[in-house]
Amino acid sequence: GTTMNVMSILGGVMLIGIVVKNGIVLIDYTMLLRERGLGLIQASVRAGKSRLRPVLMTTLTTVLGQIVMAVSKDVGSLMMRPIAVVSIGGLLYATLMTLYVVPCIYDMLNKKELRTVREEDLKMLDI
């Protein structure tokens, strides 16, 4: 029931930053586990289990902190309400996307096995 305005766009920019950070945390840990020798599916599952709490903590702290702003009836809250509405709705949706869709897309795009580089290969390249 609210209109799209500059404040809601600002909430969208804030939302994009938080969602991208959550995705980076998950994918970075998945890549670290793959470098340590786990398979693609095992690394994705273990990263999802391990990074579930940080992703949920980021989402819940932001949502719970902005609920007051979203439901407030004060005089100045009319201007700030769109930021809260956009970030609350977007974070709830994006958290599910981060935990379910991002690992699936990562698995689809990274079918190749990781290559190991030997010391002899680096010496040949003078690195």
Side-chain angles (χ1 to χ4, degrees):
T2 61
T3 61
M4 184 73 138
N5 56 24
V6 174
M7 298 308 274
S8 59
I9 293 171
L10 185 65
V13 170
M14 180 183 74
L15 172 68
I16 289 170
I18 294 171
V19 170
V20 167
K21 181 196 69 73
N22 284 343
I24 289 172
V25 164
L26 185 65
I27 295 300
D28 184 49
Y29 193 63
T30 304
M31 290 174 61
L32 178 71
L33 291 175
R34 287 197 67 205
E35 288 173 1
R36 290 182 180 170
L38 266 68
L40 182 63
I41 302 296
Q42 289 175 331
S44 293
V45 169
R46 189 176 293 178
K49 287 180 182 178
S50 176
R51 296 298 173 217
L52 175 66
R53 187 169 50 177
V55 169
L56 287 181
M57 284 174 55
T58 302
T59 300
L60 288 177
T61 54
T62 306
V63 167
L64 293 175
Q66 291 188 355
I67 284 178
V68 175
M69 194 179 350
V71 298
S72 178
K73 301 289 183 192
D74 291 338
V75 176
S77 68
L78 186 62
M79 188 171 113
M80 299 304 283
R81 188 175 299 143
I83 291 177
V85 170
V86 166
S87 61
I88 288 171
L91 274 174
L92 293 176
Y93 175 71
T95 299
L96 294 174
M97 296 295 282
T98 299
L99 294 174
Y100 291 108
V101 176
V102 169
C104 292
I105 292 174
Y106 179 79
D107 289 345
M108 287 188 317
L109 296 178
N110 290 300
K111 292 294 183 188
K112 292 183 181 178
E113 289 296 321
L114 294 177
R115 291 183 10 203
T116 57
V117 178
R118 299 180 310 217
E119 287 291 327
E120 299 86 39
D121 298 335
L122 293 176
K123 288 179 183 176
M124 287 176 31
L125 298 173
D126 288 332
I127 295 180

